[in-house]
Amino acid sequence: MPRYLSMIRIDEANAPAEGPSPELMQRMGELLEEMTKAGVMLDTAGLTPSSQGTRVRWEKGELTVTDGPFTESKEVVGGYAIIQAKDRAEAIEWTKRFLKVHEEHWTVTSEVREIAEG
C-alpha cells in the first residue's frame, strides 16, 4: 500500500499563544489512536516553532544558513503524519478528519503527497 506524507501547515502569527486546548488534544489523541489501530498511521509528530528552526539553502553553488523565525513565511509546517492508505482518496479522508478536530479559531492546512518509493 502506498504511503503519504501529510504536512500540517499553520499560521504561527494567528495560532493560539497557549497552544492547543486540552479538548483538542483529547480529540486528536482519540483520532490518532483510531488511525493507529486501523494500521493507517505510521508516524506523526508536531514540530517546535519556526523561531527554533534553521534553514539551510543551496543556491548558485553557495550555502546559506538562516536561523528562525522566518518572517517571509505566512504558513509554516507545524507537524506531519505518515499515513499508509489504499489510495490518495483514503489518505485525504483521514487528513480531513484530522483537520476537523481543531476548533474554528484555528487555521490549519495540510498538503498530502505520496511518498515516492525507490
Side-chain angles (χ1 to χ4, degrees):
M1 283 203 313
R3 295 180 303 148
Y4 297 86
L5 174 65
S6 177
M7 292 174 280
I8 311 302
R9 298 181 182 273
I10 61 168
D11 180 350
E12 284 184 319
N14 292 318
E18 67 279 2
S21 68
E23 296 82 12
L24 169 56
M25 293 306 294
Q26 180 178 341
R27 288 190 306 274
M28 191 178 303
E30 290 168 358
L31 178 60
L32 295 178
E33 183 178 340
E34 179 184 347
M35 293 174 76
T36 300
K37 285 180 180 177
V40 173
M41 181 60 68
L42 300 180
D43 189 28
T44 188
L47 301 175
T48 59
S50 65
S51 61
Q52 298 174 24
T54 302
R55 282 191 181 155
V56 181
R57 181 180 175 103
W58 175 257
E59 181 179 20
K60 298 179 183 176
E62 297 286 328
L63 276 174
T64 57
V65 178
T66 308
D67 290 330
F70 311 112
T71 56
E72 71 278 3
S73 298
K74 178 159 176 53
E75 289 185 329
V76 298
V77 178
Y80 71 92
I82 298 177
I83 299 168
Q84 186 167 336
K86 66 182 177 199
D87 55 27
R88 181 181 175 153
E90 182 185 16
I92 290 170
E93 285 305 312
W94 283 110
T95 300
K96 286 178 181 179
R97 288 187 61 191
F98 177 80
L99 294 181
K100 285 180 168 181
V101 301
H102 293 77
E103 292 98 353
E104 290 183 11
H105 60 267
W106 283 86
T107 300
V108 187
T109 304
S110 182
E111 181 179 338
V112 179
R113 295 174 58 186
E114 186 172 348
I115 296 172
E117 303 292 346

